[in-house]
Amino acid sequence: GNSVTQTEGPVTLSEEAFLTINCTYTATGYPSLFWYVQYPGEGLQLLLKATKADDKGSNKGFEATYRKETTSFHLEKGSVQVSDSAVYFCALRGGSNYKLTFGKGTLLTVNP
Amino acid sequence: KAGVTQTPRYLIKTRGQQVTLSCSPISGHRSVSWYQQTPGQGLQFLFEYFSETQRNKGNFPGRFSGRQFSNSRSEMNVSTLELGDSALYLCASSDTSTNEKLFFGSGTQLSVL
């Protein structure tokens, strides 16, 4: 079945540091890939997505590129802010049933 | 437009009881998915409904069930609660049949004592 593996947290950075959260996946066919973010006390929100190989998703300074050859979709941001502190989930949607499979989430804390 | 609304926000039950959680999707959304979130297991898929039909089901025991009404509102029911059912239950809706983008509610925090 489909599965997603991402950086095990927690990840703690100083403001303006570079962020990478790794995400690799296992799926048959050509899945769509997503990053969702969960702020404290809230539900998840879609951060960015990519639907085919070599696509780059971007939003709010975050980027991720769909790499089929390495089955990866790593999340990056050049300069994190305190307000980026949240839990980040990598997810894939594969097959014909449109079900999303999520990774376990990575807690990011950014200190001033 | 109002977001996805889940009620109640918090719930405390004892072992053996049953519970019903409610989810009102964004107006016009016909797909509703349910997830269980725990610190150890992360987000685990429970089931998905589209136009009142269960389209997908996760690997949970039969004690977990759900339904969707004609107005797209959805409920999930857990019978004979166990301590391990303590979790945040998240509902998500989508405006497409392909779940291109999910909109999540804030969840119902269930504690089983």
Side-chain angles (χ1 to χ4, degrees):
Chain A
N2 297 336
S3 68
V4 175
T5 303
Q6 61 181 100
T7 299
E8 203 168 311
V11 172
T12 303
L13 297 173
S14 298
E15 207 164 21
E16 299 183 5
F18 185 85
L19 168 71
T20 299
I21 300 177
N22 290 333
C23 171
T24 57
Y25 67 89
T26 302
T28 54
Y30 303 93
S32 294
L33 301 173
F34 307 84
W35 277 100
Y36 278 81
V37 58
Q38 185 178 32
Y39 297 102
E42 299 182 12
L44 283 71
Q45 304 173 25
L46 178 64
L47 180 59
L48 53 84
K49 68 178 182 183
T51 57
K52 61 183 189 296
D54 300 326
D55 265 3
K56 177 186 280 188
S58 61
N59 186 25
K60 299 181 181 180
F62 291 89
E63 290 184 341
T65 301
Y66 189 143
R67 301 285 188 203
K68 186 161 174 55
E69 64 276 13
T70 54
T71 61
S72 65
F73 192 54
H74 305 320
L75 182 68
E76 297 182 335
K77 186 175 186 183
S79 176
V80 293
Q81 306 300 312
V82 172
S83 57
D84 293 327
S85 297
V87 182
Y88 292 82
F89 292 89
C90 183
L92 71 82
R93 187 195 65 191
S96 58
N97 61 14
Y98 308 117
K99 185 183 83 170
L100 266 74
T101 300
F102 286 85
K104 291 195 173 182
T106 302
L107 173 62
L108 169 67
T109 301
V110 181
N111 295 317
Chain B
K1 236 182 194 180
V4 177
T5 304
Q6 291 188 247
T7 57
R9 185 72 178 90
Y10 301 94
L11 208 46
I12 299 175
K13 292 286 187 179
T14 55
R15 275 186 306 172
Q17 287 187 309
Q18 69 96 27
V19 68
T20 299
L21 312 183
S22 179
C23 172
S24 294
I26 292 173
S27 177
H29 288 196
R30 292 192 291 162
S31 170
V32 174
S33 302
W34 288 89
Y35 290 84
Q36 181 195 65
Q37 185 178 15
T38 59
Q41 298 298 317
L43 277 162
Q44 294 195 286
F45 174 77
L46 281 155
F47 28 66
E48 182 207 358
Y49 289 86
F50 182 78
S51 293
E52 301 181 66
T53 301
Q54 187 179 84
R55 186 162 71 166
N56 289 301
K57 190 177 189 310
N59 298 321
F60 279 79
R63 300 184 297 108
F64 292 81
S65 63
R67 58 179 174 167
Q68 186 180 33
F69 302 95
S70 58
N71 62 358
S72 292
R73 190 177 72 84
S74 178
E75 289 182 345
M76 69 163 279
N77 184 279
V78 188
S79 62
T80 320
L81 283 166
E82 300 177 0
L83 296 179
D85 296 334
S86 295
L88 179 67
Y89 289 87
L90 291 168
C91 165
S93 72
S94 176
D95 59 353
T96 69
S97 62
T98 57
N99 290 331
E100 195 65 30
K101 179 177 180 178
L102 294 183
F103 295 80
F104 281 82
S106 298
T108 293
Q109 183 68 54
L110 172 64
S111 298
V112 182
L113 307 178

